[in-house]
Amino acid sequence: MRTTFLLVLIFIAQVVLGWPASPGWLSTILLPMVFVVGPPLLMEERRWPHFAIALGLVWDLLFEPVVGPGAIAWSAAAVAVSAVAPLVADRSPRAWWAFGALGATLMILARHIALIPLGLSTDLTMHYLFFSVGLTSLWCGVVGWVIALDLPSRWQARRARKLR
Amino acid sequence: MTDRRILVLRTVLLWILLELFAAVQVHAPGGEPLLWSWVRATVSPMLWAGEAVGSFIGGVVTGVSDSARLVVTNRKLQLDLETAEAFSRIMAEDMAAQLELGSLVSMVPNLTSTAVPARTTFRDLARGRMIANVATDLRISADTPVLASHGVIGRVIRSEGRRCWIELITHPVAAVAIQTQDGRVQGLAIGSDTGELEIQFIPRQAQLLRGDELVTSGADGIYPPGLPVGRVTAVRESANAFLEVRAKPAATLATARVVLLLEGWMDGIQSRDPVR
């Protein structure tokens, strides 16, 4: 339930980032990438790539001209991150940042490749790729840093100290 | 297969399905779904390959049937060729016969207009018999002299329809009055079982040598004089009053194709006979 709530929240935020009034570079951030990077780093179950397909389908419904390529792209990123994450012991924000970059790169490339046969692909510029990958990895790094802070534990510790 | 591989495999299958699902939503420039153009692009080569295979098989079948027809035609042509070769042989035979006939005609200077050419159809040299066919249904008189190339071969003993039975000069009972070219030696050529001629009644003092040519003398009343009969092959003295002479027939009896029947030659002579 919490995941669903977060997902809805993330997608709303993604829609907001893409509003015409907002700066153009904001829409290049792939906010749902945290749901691709998070589960492998948090040691959750391996069926997560299938969930990434559902995530991609929602992405397609909201942002893509056809349903399908987004699901492929997001699940491709999830499969890759799931495959590489067990090989790395680091679970720090830096790992979130790195896996965010990996997932974003794969998502953008897979989406572009999936759109080519449909005749819907647009020019993929290196500028866009670096910009999107950089911002998305930063976003994932921030999320990882927040998780690493473990705010609920700190809050509880602080309340315990005050009560004493 | 490990769980990870199964997961990847399923994911890849899902990607394919998703791509196909996306293709259904996209329309090609013609207005039809893109998936149909993909299907057509996938199926077309197979159809083309199928058509090519069908065309190839059809070509093979046509080729086989054409080959069969060619074999039949070839066989027919071979038969035609054999027939043509047979006709060619017949024509060559006819040509040779014509040449023989020409030599025969040149051999008899005073050939009467009643001389009849005939074609030999059967020969039995051992029995001294020959059968010749004339061109038309013409009755040939008995004892008509018969000439082949190079000389006399015999006389007609029977004629029926177009067929003439000829008694060769080599027949044991056949006899031809002969003489040498200069006419100083005369005798009688008798047939024998050996295929040679026995020259009888040659006096011991006669000057006859081996190789001398013998011609008809006309004394027998059958053969006109001057026709080649044979060539002396052996001259021996004997106990009786005459020489023992043997001669080889001048005419090649074994290969004679065309003969000339001197029908009515006597009539021509008799008409010119001043006594008559």
Side-chain angles (χ1 to χ4, degrees), chain B residues 32-109:
Chain B
E32 63 178 357
L34 186 64
L35 183 63
W36 300 136
S37 61
W38 284 6
V39 170
R40 202 168 45 246
T42 308
V43 171
S44 292
M46 295 183 203
L47 290 176
W48 178 83
E51 285 179 8
V53 170
S55 174
F56 172 74
I57 292 171
V60 168
V61 170
T62 307
V64 169
S65 63
D66 284 351
S67 298
R69 270 204 303 275
L70 274 176
V71 168
V72 172
T73 308
N74 190 33
R75 181 68 190 142
K76 187 170 175 292
L77 285 173
Q78 279 182 336
L79 290 174
D80 289 346
L81 185 62
E82 288 172 5
T83 307
E85 285 176 348
F87 276 122
S88 174
R89 280 196 295 272
I90 291 171
M91 287 185 70
E93 191 80 6
D94 286 345
M95 184 65 73
Q98 288 294 327
L99 289 173
E100 276 190 26
L101 188 60
S103 69
L104 275 175
V105 170
S106 64
M107 196 171 69
V108 185

Side-chain angles (χ1 to χ4, degrees), chain A residues 62-94:
Chain A
L62 292 175
F63 307 113
E64 297 290 350
V66 290
V67 176
I72 294 172
W74 283 104
S75 58
V79 167
V81 173
S82 301
V84 176
L87 306 177
V88 181
D90 188 9
R91 293 293 181 265
S92 65
R94 195 173 52 188

Side-chain angles (χ1 to χ4, degrees), chain B residues 11 22 31 45 55 58 68 78 107 110 112 123 127 132 161 212 214 220 229 250 258 265 271:
Chain B
T11 308
S55 174
Q78 279 182 336
M107 196 171 69
N110 297 320
T112 61
R123 63 173 66 88
R127 292 170 57 199
D212 283 350
L214 304 175
D220 50 18
V229 174
V258 176
W265 71 273
S271 64

